[in-house]
Structure formats: C-alpha cells, structure tokens
C-alpha cells in the first residue's frame, strides 16, 4: 500500500489532497489517535512544524511530519469551527517539540490544546488582550497600552484534560511549587545570548528544572508580513537569525519561487550557495568564540573575530553590508558578485584550516574546557528528534538531519561534502560538530569557486520575475539547512499580492525547548556551558 492507503486504513474518515506533500484532512476527535499511529506504526518520528492558521470559517493547525528513516513526508490539517472557545487535541505526549510549538499557536490564535501540560502564553504578556494572528484581532492600542509593571501570576498555568466519556476538565496549577528555589538567568545576561530569561529551580547547586521565558524582543514579524508584498517580506528574514540571514532569505525565496514555478539561473544558484556557506562559517566561528568566552576564555573570542572580519570584508565588497546582506532576491540575487569575489574566497579558504588548528590548540585541548563540556548536557538521539532539535545539536547526538543531504535544494546535490555526525550528545560533541562543519564548508566553497569560474561572463544577474508578484491560491512549505538547523517557511496564499499567512519555523525555538532536558541534574555553572553549546540566537526565537 502507498502512504495514502495506509493512512486511510488507519482513519477511514480522513480526506486527502495531492500537492507538494500528501495532505491529510482529519477531524480533531480522531487526530490524536491518527497521530499516534503515524508515529508508532508508520514511523513519522519527527514533527517538523506546527503552524496555526485562521481560515476565517475555522481555526486550526497545519502539521508537517517526517519519517527520519525513509525521509517520507506528510502534512495534516486539523481545524475547529468554534471560534469562541477553540480547542484541539495536543500531540505533545508524542512529540516533545509540540510542548513549545503548541504554546506558540495558543499565544497567537487562542487555540487551547487538550492534554497539553502547560497552557500559558509563550511570547505575549499574560495580561495581553486578544490573539494577534487571528483575522478578527482588534489592534486598537487602547486595549493593550504600554505597561511598565511586571506581569502578575506568571507561574499560573492550566491543563485541560478529557476523560473516557469526553468530559473536559480545566485544572489550574503553578509552574513552580512553594518549595522551589528559583534563580533567574537573564533576561539581561551575556550568557543567555540576548534577552532570554531562564527560570531555574535549584537544589543547592543542582538544577532540577529550567523554564525558558521568551518574548522580550518579539517584533511581530509574521503579523507584519500579512500587510507586505512578497518582495517586502524578504527584509525580515535577515533580521531573525542574523547569523543565518542568507540561508533564511534563501528559504523564503525558494518557497515563493516554488509557488510561482520560477526557474533560478544556474549562476545565481551557485552564488546563493556560496553565500550560504560563507554565512555558516561566520556563524560557527562566532559560536566558537562565544562559547569559549561564556566559560571565561576571552582570547578565543578575539581569535574568532579575526577571521570573521575577513569574511565580512568579502560580504561587504559584493553586497555593501556586513551584518545584513539583503542579497538573495526572488528569482536570483540582487547583483553579480564583485570581480575579486572568487579570489577573496579562495584566499579565505586557504588560510582557514591553519586558523581552525589554532582554535583547537587554544581551546579544544584545554583540560578545563574538556572537563566542563565532556559528558555535560547530554541528550540522546531519540530526544533530539522528539524535540526537533536539528542542525549541529541534532547531529551531535547521532541524528542525520542535514537538510542539504535529506532534501537537497539549489545545487547541493551536485556537491561533495560529508555530514558531520557525533554520537555523544554532550556539549563537547555539539562544539566539535560546528568546528568540523567549518572545514566541510571550506570544501564546498572550493568546489563552488571552480563551478563559478566555469560560468561564462561576469554579468549582472537580473531576476526575471513579474513586476507584481501574486502567488496562486494554495500553501507551500520549504526548508533549508541554516546555521543552527532546519529553518522552514510556510506560506498560505489567497491569490493576492500579500501572503494570507506566513510562518517562519525557526530552529532556535526548538533548541530552547530542549534546555530543560539538557540541564536537569547538572550544576548551575553547567547551564552556561549547555546554553552556549546549543548556540541559539534570540531574534530567531522571538520573531
């Protein structure tokens, strides 16, 4: 049987739509049962994304699932017509990543998930009025004035449970008990890598529980996108994970191009991938310096910035920018590369191996560094898949999750490189994956330089796109391998020039969800090491 036949046998009432992925429409009352079968019987062990959508006549979610063994993919649509008291069944008991992604949906759409153990708002204040991504949201500023007081009752949460007769019961409870001694890390603390607050319950110096508090820099990007044209939305991708700005923008361009059926010139594809890999090197070098600095080794931070400055010079020659590039555009790239681009990239690749050797001499072999990272913050393969902790963090736990290998895009299927995998799952392994991936990116760039040299001419790449871009009605989902893992874009179009719904599935949010799993049982000082090894970037989370 094919996948559709298998799912139909498990849930006869389900309906199907063909498309990019098989789409399964299922009633909420049958959703949890089907979800359990999808995971346990059909092997869909990776919940890629939970995207809330307001379809006007109903509220619901689009779920994207992957079988990590066969790489088979499926999407599921679950909705409710009850807009006054919307409820869906939670799948957080099956995939741990739903613990945080369902809270995001509740925060923005007001959908309560039955069985979810912690139904609190995620980004917005507890006293925020309304749910911002609903189409009937009242944006009157008088409803939500700027408040200068602290949130009240931030420990208050609730769970809605269902008995065998279908009766729903709401139970209020406290996140921390009266006996918990809670220590705050952040939101203003260098080791939290931005305005992230980690509320940690401790027993002596041992961490018993970590509760991340997001939303200190939330900028409403997904809401803003609904009022922008598709070219205008590209601007936001550079300002989420600013260390993955090229990859993030590449992902959005690919998603739009897929919807338009637009073919990107080969030269532009080569250039895009080169910028993506240069961005990955810069990100991993910064991760090296920040992790070492968080643990007290300040010299390493300076070493990392030495090569990073050279990298920024390469970017600046072509794009004019150092932090934000604004280079990938729909249909190609904004302009051809600088005449010195290939020469500069080759020179950079030539010196980098010796510089990485210096990094290892300075930090990797240091006995203090090894004692503080080896065996610290261990998370296993099954858990990283369940939490959706992709990228270097997932590969450090033995999970082959590189989107460039799993679902090649652009010209990655033409390139020769190795997926770096460690099996220890500790802070040291996460660090080593990034260090080794720097060398793999060098390997890729050397091949790409050869490919770009073979392209005739050095002409400006003018993307051939309509003056006014309107996507056909429908929905699309695209992933790329960003510096921190799988970055996804969901677009739903009603046929207009503005996206009806645009969702950015950031890897950082999943990394934060796994902090408690990584930290429980370790010491307070280990929290700094573990957070640094996870290498999340706050704007990537607070979108």
């Amino acid at each position: 049987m094919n996948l559709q036949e298998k799912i139909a046998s498990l849930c006869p009432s389900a309906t199907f739509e063909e498309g990019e992925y098989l789409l399964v429409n299922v009633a909420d009352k049958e959703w949890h049962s089907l979800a359990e079968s999808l995971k346990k019987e059909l092997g869909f062990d990776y919940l890629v994304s939970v995207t809330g959508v307001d379809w006007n006549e109903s509220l619901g979610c689009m779920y994207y699932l992957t079988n990590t063994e066969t790489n088979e993919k499926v999407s599921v649509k679950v909705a409710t017509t009850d807009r006054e008291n919307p409820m869906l069944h939670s799948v957080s008991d099956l995939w741990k990543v739903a613990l945080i992604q369902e809270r995001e949906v509740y925060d923005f759409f007001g959908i309560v998930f039955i069985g979810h153990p912690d139904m609190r708002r995620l980004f917005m204040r507890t006293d925020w009025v309304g749910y911002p991504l609903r189409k009937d949201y009242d944006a009157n500023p008088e409803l939500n004035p700027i408040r200068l007081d602290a949130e009240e009752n931030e420990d208050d949460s609730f769970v809605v449970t269902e008995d065998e007769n279908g009766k729903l019961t709401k139970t209020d409870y406290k996140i921390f008990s009266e006996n918990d001694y809670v220590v705050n890390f952040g939101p203003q603390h260098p080791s939290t890598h931005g305005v992230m607050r980690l509320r940690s319950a401790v027993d002596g110096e041992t961490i018993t529980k970590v509760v991340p508090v997001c939303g200190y820099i939330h900028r409403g990007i997904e809401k803003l996108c609904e009022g922008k044209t598709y070219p205008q939305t590209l601007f936001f991708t550079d300002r989420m994970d600013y260390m993955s700005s090229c990859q993030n923008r590449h992902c959005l361009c690919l998603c739009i191009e897929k919807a338009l059926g637009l073919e990107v010139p080969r030269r532009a594809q080569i250039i895009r991938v080169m910028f993506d890999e240069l961005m990955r090197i810069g990100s991993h070098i910064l991760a090296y310096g920040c992790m070492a600095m968080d643990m007290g080794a300040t010299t390493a931070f300076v070493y990392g910035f030495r090569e990073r400055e050279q990298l920024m010079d390469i970017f600046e020659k072509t794009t004019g920018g150092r932090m934000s590039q604004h280079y990938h555009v729909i249909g190609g790239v904004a302009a051809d590369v600088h005449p010195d681009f290939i020469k500069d990239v080759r020179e950079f690749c030539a010196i980098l191996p010796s510089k990485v050797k210096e990094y290892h001499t300075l930090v990797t072999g240091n006995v203090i560094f090894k004692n503080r990272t080896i065996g610290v913050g261990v998370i296993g393969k099954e858990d990283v898949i369940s939490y959706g902790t992709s990228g270097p963090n997932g590969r450090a736990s033995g999970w082959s999750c590189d989107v460039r290998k799993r679902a090649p895009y652009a010209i990655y299927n033409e390139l020769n490189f190795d997926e770096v995998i460690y099996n220890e799952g500790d802070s040291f392994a996460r660090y080593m994956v990034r260090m080794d991936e720097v060398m793999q990116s060098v390997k890729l760039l050397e091949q790409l330089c050869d490919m770009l040299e073979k392209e005739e001419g050095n002409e400006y790449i003018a993307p051939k796109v309509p003056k006014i871009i309107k996507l056909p009605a429908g929905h699309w989902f695209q992933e790329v391998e960003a510096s921190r893992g799988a970055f996804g874009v969901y677009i739903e179009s009603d046929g207009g020039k503005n996206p009806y719904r645009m969702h950015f599935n950031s890897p950082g949010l999943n990394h934060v969800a796994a902090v408690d799993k990584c930290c429980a049982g370790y010491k307070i000082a280990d929290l700094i090491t573990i957070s640094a090894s996870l290498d999340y970037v706050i704007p990537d989370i607070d979108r």
Side-chain angles (χ1 to χ4, degrees):
M1 290 191 294
N2 61 27
L3 180 59
Q4 180 172 325
E5 291 170 337
K6 290 176 182 177
I7 295 174
S9 67
L10 294 169
C11 184
S13 64
T15 60
F16 302 90
E17 297 176 34
E18 291 294 336
E20 181 186 9
Y21 307 118
L22 176 66
L23 174 62
V24 184
N25 293 282
V26 62
D28 175 56
K29 63 181 180 180
E30 298 181 18
W31 165 226
H32 190 274
S33 175
L34 175 60
E36 192 169 14
S37 298
L38 285 170
K39 181 181 181 183
K40 296 180 179 178
E41 296 182 37
L42 301 184
F44 287 92
D45 51 347
Y46 175 28
L47 176 56
V48 179
S49 174
V50 182
T51 302
V53 185
D54 182 351
W55 289 288
N56 282 319
E57 71 279 0
S58 63
L59 288 166
C61 293
M62 293 288 293
Y63 298 82
Y64 284 87
L65 300 162
T66 297
N67 181 321
T68 58
E69 291 296 323
T70 65
N71 207 31
E72 205 167 17
K73 304 175 190 301
V74 68
S75 57
V76 181
K77 178 179 177 179
V78 187
T80 174
T81 55
D82 185 353
R83 297 183 66 87
E84 296 300 317
N85 188 30
M87 287 190 177
L88 298 176
H89 283 80
S90 173
V91 291
S92 59
D93 58 324
L94 300 172
W95 298 283
K96 297 301 182 186
V97 67
L99 287 168
I100 201 160
Q101 293 203 8
E102 287 178 351
R103 278 184 62 195
E104 181 181 32
V105 174
Y106 168 66
D107 197 6
F108 294 145
F109 292 89
I111 300 173
V112 173
F113 289 88
I114 300 166
H116 191 290
D118 182 10
M119 275 281 90
R120 288 177 300 146
R121 302 198 82 139
L122 181 62
F123 296 108
M124 316 300 289
R125 284 177 61 110
T126 56
D127 52 7
W128 190 268
V129 178
Y131 302 99
L133 291 183
R134 288 176 60 152
K135 297 300 181 181
D136 56 3
Y137 173 66
D138 188 348
N140 183 352
E142 293 180 5
L143 293 175
N144 290 292
I146 296 174
R147 296 179 174 90
L148 302 180
D149 55 326
E151 295 180 71
E152 294 183 8
N153 307 319
E154 65 179 349
D155 281 346
D156 290 351
S157 187
F158 69 92
V159 57
V160 175
T161 54
E162 184 179 33
D163 64 19
E164 62 275 7
N165 298 317
K167 181 182 178 181
L168 299 178
T169 304
K170 179 183 177 183
T171 305
D172 296 317
Y173 74 98
K174 297 283 187 181
I175 296 298
F176 293 105
S177 71
E178 292 182 358
N179 296 325
D180 283 331
Y181 187 83
V182 180
V183 176
N184 276 296
F185 286 85
Q188 304 294 340
H189 193 284
S191 71
T192 58
H193 291 226
V195 278
M196 168 62 68
R197 183 179 173 206
L198 300 174
R199 304 185 69 209
S200 308
V202 294
D203 180 7
E205 288 197 23
T206 302
I207 297 169
T208 58
K209 184 178 185 178
V210 179
V211 177
V213 183
C214 308
Y216 285 92
I217 59 166
H218 181 63
R219 296 157 293 163
I221 284 175
E222 293 181 9
K223 185 70 174 179
L224 289 168
C225 284
E226 294 177 9
K228 303 294 182 184
T229 62
Y230 288 98
Q232 287 174 329
T233 63
L234 298 178
F235 170 84
F236 297 114
T237 55
D238 294 294
R239 283 161 172 74
M240 288 185 281
D241 177 359
Y242 41 83
M243 299 309 304
S244 298
S245 62
C246 287
Q247 297 109 317
N248 292 353
R249 185 180 270 239
H250 194 175
C251 187
L252 180 52
C253 288
L254 286 171
C255 199
I256 295 170
E257 289 156 3
K258 180 162 55 178
L260 290 173
L262 200 63
E263 185 176 349
V264 178
R266 180 172 176 79
R267 183 177 180 86
Q269 291 193 45
I270 296 169
I271 294 170
R272 280 180 172 184
V273 173
M274 292 184 76
F275 269 74
D276 288 3
E277 293 308 314
L278 287 167
M279 182 66 66
R280 194 179 320 278
I281 290 174
S283 175
H284 288 349
I285 288 175
L286 185 64
Y288 158 81
C290 288
M291 184 172 179
M293 186 172 67
D294 284 351
M295 297 165 64
T298 53
T299 305
F301 188 77
V302 180
Y303 271 51
F305 258 81
R306 178 185 59 191
E307 278 65 65
R308 185 169 157 70
E309 281 299 297
Q310 185 175 346
L311 183 62
M312 293 298 100
D313 290 341
I314 296 174
F315 281 139
E316 188 178 17
K317 275 187 177 181
T318 291
T319 71
R322 296 179 76 83
M323 275 292 284
S324 298
Q325 309 307 323
H326 308 301
Y327 188 53
H328 296 32
V329 296
I330 299 167
V333 292
D336 207 345
V337 292
H338 190 275
D340 294 339
F341 181 70
I342 294 176
K343 175 181 70 70
D344 290 344
V345 171
R346 287 197 186 279
E347 289 175 357
F348 182 66
C349 290
I351 62 103
L352 205 54
S354 64
K355 302 303 181 183
V356 171
K357 187 176 180 181
E358 285 184 12
Y359 301 163
H360 285 305
T361 302
L362 182 66
V363 172
T364 311
N366 184 285
V367 64
I368 300 173
F369 181 81
K370 292 170 78 172
N371 286 342
R372 290 197 61 186
T373 56
I374 295 176
V376 174
V378 177
I379 184 169
K381 179 180 178 180
E382 185 177 338
D383 284 323
V384 291
I385 295 174
S386 184
Y387 279 98
T389 309
S390 59
N393 296 331
R395 292 189 283 278
S397 296
W399 179 21
S400 176
C401 58
D402 194 324
V403 180
R404 296 172 297 173
K405 292 284 191 181
R406 184 165 52 85
Y409 53 94
I411 57 167
Y412 276 110
N413 59 341
E414 301 178 32
L415 300 170
N416 176 33
F417 67 103
D418 299 321
E419 183 174 8
V420 180
I421 296 178
Y422 282 65
N423 294 299
E424 294 81 1
D426 58 8
S427 298
F428 188 76
R430 291 188 281 272
Y431 162 83
M432 283 303 300
V433 169
R434 292 185 179 88
M435 299 301 286
D436 290 353
E437 284 190 355
V438 168
M439 299 312 301
Q440 289 302 315
S441 290
V442 169
K443 184 178 178 180
L444 283 166
L445 286 166
E446 289 171 342
Q447 296 171 63
L448 289 160
C449 282
D450 293 339
M451 294 171 73
L452 193 59
E453 282 181 330
K454 292 177 183 177
E455 290 292 307
E456 292 185 4
N458 196 31
E459 71 282 1
Y460 170 72
I461 306 298
K464 297 178 181 179
V465 298
K467 290 183 178 179
I468 298 177
I469 294 176
K470 293 183 178 181
L471 268 57
H475 60 266
W476 297 267
F477 184 73
Q478 175 68 43
E479 278 190 301
V480 301
E481 183 66 25
S483 302
R484 273 151 200 82
F487 177 83
V489 172
Y490 173 88
I491 296 176
E492 179 140 344
S493 170
D494 59 3
K497 64 180 181 179
N498 310 108
Y500 180 81
R501 171 81 169 105
M502 186 176 282
H503 173 60
F504 299 105
N505 196 51
S506 69
L509 185 64
N510 298 354
H511 298 338
V512 166
V515 168
D516 178 58
K517 181 68 179 178
C518 292
C519 291
Y522 294 96
K523 303 298 183 184
I524 294 175
D526 295 329
L527 174 62
I528 308 302
T529 300
I530 295 166
S531 296
S533 73
L534 290 171
D535 188 35
Y536 49 74
V537 168
I538 309 306
D540 181 49
I541 300 162
D542 289 1
R543 303 177 306 287

